[in-house]
Amino acid sequence: MQDLAALIRAVPDFPTLGVMFRCIDALAEPWQGSGVQAVCGIEARGFIFGAALAQKLHAGFVPLRKPGKLPPPVVTVDYQLEYGSDRLEAQRDALKPGERVLLVDDVLATGGTLAAARALVEQLGGELVGASVVIELLALRGRDRWSGSLQLQSLLRY
């Protein structure tokens, strides 16, 4: 497998001057001008990419959390993983009805987490624009669970 850091990392002037964050630029590019109003980042690494992407797109950021980490009232979605089950939660008022939403996570594996996040956005009344992941594991066929015409972007595909 290729060294992923060699494909993503570029930090010549960190943390000031011309800060170079190519990963976020690449994640943001397909969504420029799409009217994204909120970026929903999936716990936990999706927070890192999602918050930076929300800033780049001039959108709000909504964390989609594991159980018990948000104060009530919350909306929940239970889902199956290849090794068990889990739950995602969001504040009940995290999105306005019809708000245009982009989902963000670090890895697309079997697609269960991304499908649950999509269901959660729909429960909250958001209008899903699409999703971005940093890495897609092709052998696990997670993209097959992403039906419809919504765009699913992955930066690295293995």
Side-chain angles (χ1 to χ4, degrees):
M1 180 179 277
Q2 284 183 287
D3 177 17
L4 297 180
L7 297 173
I8 297 174
R9 189 168 170 85
V11 191
D13 297 328
F14 180 83
T16 55
L17 289 177
V19 175
M20 189 179 309
F21 201 2
R22 290 185 180 152
C23 181
I24 297 305
D25 289 344
L27 283 172
E29 191 275 324
W31 311 107
Q32 297 288 348
S34 68
V36 170
Q37 297 169 290
V39 175
C40 289
I42 301 170
E43 188 164 335
R45 289 173 299 272
F47 295 173
I48 297 166
F49 297 108
L53 187 55
Q55 182 179 21
K56 182 83 172 170
L57 294 173
H58 307 288
F61 176 74
V62 176
L64 304 183
R65 305 287 321 254
K66 300 292 183 181
K69 304 224 178 151
L70 294 170
V74 296
V75 174
T76 67
V77 171
D78 293 312
Y79 63 102
Q80 294 299 311
L81 298 165
E82 59 274 18
Y83 49 82
S85 62
D86 212 340
R87 170 179 286 168
L88 281 178
E89 298 182 342
Q91 290 294 146
R92 182 179 296 157
D93 62 353
L95 296 172
K96 297 179 189 103
E99 195 165 12
R100 293 176 57 80
V101 176
L102 174 64
L103 290 175
V104 178
D105 205 359
D106 62 334
V107 175
L108 174 61
T110 63
T113 303
L114 199 60
R118 181 179 187 166
L120 192 55
V121 166
E122 290 168 355
Q123 278 189 45
L124 291 167
E127 179 189 335
L128 193 59
V129 174
S132 281
V133 296
V134 178
I135 301 167
E136 180 177 353
L137 303 175
L138 297 173
L140 298 178
R141 303 179 57 93
R143 186 175 288 268
D144 292 351
R145 294 181 74 172
W146 189 258
S147 60
S149 61
L150 292 175
Q151 183 178 354
L152 171 58
Q153 176 209 19
S154 54
L155 294 184
L156 305 170
R157 302 175 86 194
Y158 291 98

